[in-house]
């Protein structure tokens, strides 16, 4: 049986008079007695099918009247010019008068209508195979395909080799928690699923591959949110004999190519570069959204001399005081709204509080105004650039808390006050991240990126002298406030790598146990190299202006890491656990 001669987005006026065979899903049906209209849909579009007693047998028209929505059918007929045209769809100038109808598969009552908007996400995920039929999801998957093809074509032309790396590998401390897989043939031992192909891609540089890329599945057992999944797709890239400028130039060309393939727009400008330190001081974020202003302003020196103890004690303890200006909201931001903002920074970012100053037509209105002299208040207004009608929002705390709090407040203001153009895209490089960050909970230093990032030549003497305020040859690519990719020039000197491990609190024995094979490889002629990894899902999410990566992944998981469609994760049989030398009571107790 021939199922179709054309897809359902293909027929045009040029096809009028042709006999065609079409197959697809019944999107809608309108029964007018002896005349039945069916909108037939497939991946490529919709074509209107007409069942009329003047053309088709009565049995065919009667069968059409009984069709259920989302049933799969095959029709034969003739293309005719449509009397009432629909210029909103590509096939809107024609329709097909059916002479034959075959029901290939009837559809039972649907759990939801395909035209429903605002569906509960759990329902969408449980019936994902139905959700994907919806135009937006099909469009997103098409764009994902275009994105992947654009990547592969660009990388091939640039001389990169696509090389696979293992999925079952060794657990190494790279940041997030590993997913572990017990080995049946090696009792008591475990594989780890890769958080990224980081070690292998560097080993490929030592192996002389020189230019490597891979579209890789990666896994991280960490808390989830809208732009994070336990398994995700990563574009992994590494190249030899390069410096920072070489990498960013090649990657910038890739980003522009992919951007055009997905959005149809161009980004015909050199992506600006901003130092990590500047990004934090101006935007409170290492992935700033530069589509709007509302930058952080430093008030530490002014606050240190005022009469407000919460400010002065913070400065004395080594903290900072910074502010952002909410433009034009002095009359609309009530105390209740400002209290909500304060609760927001306290609950989610650990701030001790939030102060505010309204500049009204009558003058300054603020609970803390009495603690400032007129000269000090004028200095605050001048420093922030605030005008009548604005509200100054201030946070005083440790730098990490202040940046996180005001960075989030800034983004919230941008969204709630419509301060940016939602149709605009802005790329930005953030460069030279710190090598180390101090983890107060664990009481030790960790790698800001990962422990294989190279140290800037200007800071190498400081590093060798034991200082921790060290900058690295790192770079993140940011699009509209989302980090879509990041990487670094790597350490290729084994002595420097060992010293980094030492700074991170790893003993020689621990470093040998975790990374012995890796460090050994560097003794056999490692070239200077660097690379980058893109989060495919997040990158596509931003370009398509979706709010969640679950809308660009075919079969995603929930915030709890569950697949509602397959009901994974699930319990296993006791015998399976015993084969893996695991306690069978795990199953019994959970049941």
């Amino acid at each position: 049986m021939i199922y179709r001669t054309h897809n359902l987005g293909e027929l045009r006026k040029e096809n009028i008079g042709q006999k065609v065979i079409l197959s697809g899903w019944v999107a809608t049906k309108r029964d007018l007695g002896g005349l039945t209209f069916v909108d037939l849909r497939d991946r490529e579009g919709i074509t209107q099918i007409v069942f009329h007693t003047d053309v088709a047998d009565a049995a065919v028209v009667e069968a059409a009247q009984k069709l259920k929505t989302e049933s799969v059918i095959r029709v034969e007929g003739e293309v005719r010019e449509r009397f009432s045209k629909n210029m909103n769809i590509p096939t809107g100038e024609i329709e097909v008068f059916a002479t034959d109808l075959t029901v290939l598969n009837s559809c039972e009552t649907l759990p939801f209508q395909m035209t429903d908007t605002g569906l509960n996400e759990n329902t969408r995920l449980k019936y994902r195979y139905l959700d994907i039929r919806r135009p937006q999801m099909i469009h997103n998957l098409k764009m994902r395909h275009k994105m992947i093809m654009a990547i592969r074509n660009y990388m091939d032309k640039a001389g990169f080799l696509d090389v696979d790396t293992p999925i079952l590998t060794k657990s190494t401390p790279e940041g997030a928690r590993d997913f572990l897989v017990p080995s049946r043939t090696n009792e008591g031992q475990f594989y780890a699923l890769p958080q990224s192909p980081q070690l292998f891609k560097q080993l490929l540089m030592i192996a002389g591959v020189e230019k490597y890329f891979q579209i890789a599945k990666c896994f991280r057992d960490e808390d989830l949110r809208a732009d994070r999944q336990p398994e995700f797709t990563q574009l992994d890239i590494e190249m030899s004999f390069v410096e920072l400028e070489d990498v960013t130039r090649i990657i910038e060309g890739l980003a522009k190519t992919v951007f055009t393939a997905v959005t149809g727009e161009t980004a015909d400008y050199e992506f600006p570069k901003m130092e990590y330190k500047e990004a934090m001081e101006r935007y409170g974020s290492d992935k700033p959204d530069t589509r709007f202003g509302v930058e952080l302003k430093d008030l530490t020196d002014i606050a240190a001399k005022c009469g407000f103890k919460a400010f002065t004690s913070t400065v004395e303890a080594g903290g900072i005081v910074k502010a952002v200006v909410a433009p034009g909201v002095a009359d609309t931001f009530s105390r209740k709204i400002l209290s909500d903002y304060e609760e927001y920074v306290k609950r989610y970012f650990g701030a001790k509080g939030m102060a505010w100053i309204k500049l009204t037509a009558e003058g300054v209105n603020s609970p803390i105004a009495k603690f400032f002299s007129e000269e000090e208040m004028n200095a605050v207004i001048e420093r922030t650039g605030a005008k009548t009608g604005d509200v100054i929002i201030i946070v005083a705390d440790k730098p990490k808390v202040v940046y996180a709090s005001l960075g989030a407040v800034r983004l919230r203001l941008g969204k709630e006050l419509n301060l940016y153009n939602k149709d605009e895209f802005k790329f930005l490089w953030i460069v030279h991240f710190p090598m180390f960050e101090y983890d107060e909970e664990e009481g030790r230093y960790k790698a800001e990126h990962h422990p294989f990032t190279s140290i800037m030549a200007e800071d190498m003497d400081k590093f060798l002298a034991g200082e921790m305020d060290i900058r690295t040859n790192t770079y993140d690519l940011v699009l509209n406030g989302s980090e879509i990719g990041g990487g670094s020039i790597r350490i290729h000197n084994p002595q420097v790598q060992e010293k980094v491990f030492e700074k991170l609190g790893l003993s020689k024995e621990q470093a040998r146990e975790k990374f012995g094979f890796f460090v050994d490889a560097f003794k056999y002629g490692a070239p200077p190299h660097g690379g980058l990894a893109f989060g495919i899902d997040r990158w596509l999410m931003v370009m398509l202006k979706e709010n969640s990566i679950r809308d660009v992944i075919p079969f995603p998981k929930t915030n709890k890491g569950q697949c509602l469609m397959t009901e994974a994760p699930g319990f296993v049989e006791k015998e399976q656990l015993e084969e893996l030398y695991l306690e069978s009571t795990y199953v019994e107790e959970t049941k």
Side-chain angles (χ1 to χ4, degrees), residues 435-436 451 455 460-468 491 493-506 508 511 519:
M435 181 74 209
F436 306 105
I455 296 162
M460 183 58 74
D461 288 341
K462 291 169 60 179
F463 171 70
L464 296 175
E467 297 183 35
M468 301 301 284
I491 297 169
N493 182 305
Q495 288 75 38
V496 173
Q497 186 67 75
E498 288 175 356
K499 192 167 182 64
V500 169
F501 290 151
E502 178 186 325
K503 294 286 187 184
L504 293 173
L506 290 174
K508 289 186 177 181
V519 175

Side-chain angles (χ1 to χ4, degrees), residues 191-208:
Y191 299 104
L193 301 182
Q195 295 182 33
S196 78
Q198 181 64 47
L199 302 184
F200 289 101
K201 68 179 180 181
Q202 290 191 248
L203 291 172
L204 286 171
M205 296 304 101
I206 297 172

Side-chain angles (χ1 to χ4, degrees), residues 241-299:
F241 306 111
V242 290
E243 295 181 330
L244 186 149
E245 294 296 332
D246 301 310
V247 176
T248 56
R249 183 180 65 255
I250 292 173
I251 299 304
E252 198 164 304
L254 169 66
K256 292 176 179 179
T257 299
V258 171
F259 179 71
T260 299
V262 172
T263 68
E265 301 178 30
T266 58
D268 53 354
Y269 58 91
E270 183 177 345
F271 298 169
K273 290 186 175 69
M274 183 181 295
E275 294 276 333
Y276 168 88
K277 183 179 180 182
E278 180 184 352
M280 296 302 295
E281 289 178 348
R282 290 176 60 187
Y283 300 100
S285 172
D286 59 5
K287 47 181 184 296
D289 188 338
T290 55
R291 289 176 295 175
F292 68 106
V294 190
E295 296 183 14
L296 278 61
K297 303 297 181 181
D298 189 18
L299 304 179

Side-chain angles (χ1 to χ4, degrees), residues 463-483:
F463 171 70
L464 296 175
E467 297 183 35
M468 301 301 284
D469 182 18
I470 307 298
R471 296 170 300 160
T472 56
N473 294 303
T474 40
Y475 32 83
D476 278 5
L477 187 56
V478 177
L479 178 59
N480 290 2
S482 289
E483 176 204 333

Side-chain angles (χ1 to χ4, degrees), residues 46-197:
I46 288 178
T47 296
Q48 179 168 281
I49 312 298
V50 182
F51 295 88
H52 196 289
T53 51
D54 288 348
V55 177
D57 292 341
V60 171
V61 176
E62 184 179 351
Q65 292 170 346
K66 296 178 180 178
L67 286 175
K68 294 181 179 180
T69 304
E70 293 306 307
S71 293
V72 184
I73 66 172
R74 172 188 180 274
V75 298
E76 296 182 27
E78 180 183 332
V79 182
R80 296 186 181 182
E81 185 171 4
R82 187 164 170 171
F83 176 74
S84 178
K85 295 179 174 56
N86 179 4
M87 304 311 294
N88 293 320
I89 58 174
T91 60
E93 292 185 275
I94 60 91
E95 57 193 359
V96 173
F97 273 71
T99 56
D100 187 62
L101 165 65
T102 304
V103 178
L104 300 173
N105 206 323
S106 184
C107 180
E108 296 184 2
T109 302
L110 293 164
F112 56 83
Q113 294 302 312
M114 308 304 290
T115 54
D116 283 354
T117 58
L119 276 174
N120 177 277
E121 187 177 59
N122 284 352
T123 301
R124 292 179 58 200
L125 296 183
K126 182 177 181 179
Y127 299 98
R128 189 61 161 186
Y129 46 86
L130 295 179
D131 187 46
I132 289 175
R133 290 184 194 174
R134 293 147 65 88
Q136 183 179 358
M137 281 302 303
I138 283 288
H139 172 263
N140 289 357
L141 293 187
K142 286 182 180 180
M143 292 304 103
R144 188 180 180 98
H145 168 75
K146 284 191 174 184
M147 179 182 191
I148 298 299
M149 293 305 296
I151 289 169
R152 291 195 182 282
N153 291 335
Y154 181 92
M155 299 306 285
D156 180 58
K157 289 179 182 178
F160 285 79
L161 299 182
D162 185 350
V163 183
D164 292 303
T165 55
I167 292 295
L168 295 176
T169 184
K170 183 181 179 67
S171 180
T172 55
E174 294 182 42
R177 186 183 296 107
D178 285 328
F179 278 104
L180 300 176
V181 180
S183 171
R184 181 183 60 81
T185 54
N186 299 277
E187 182 176 353
Q189 297 182 323
F190 292 80
Y191 299 104
L193 301 182
Q195 295 182 33
S196 78

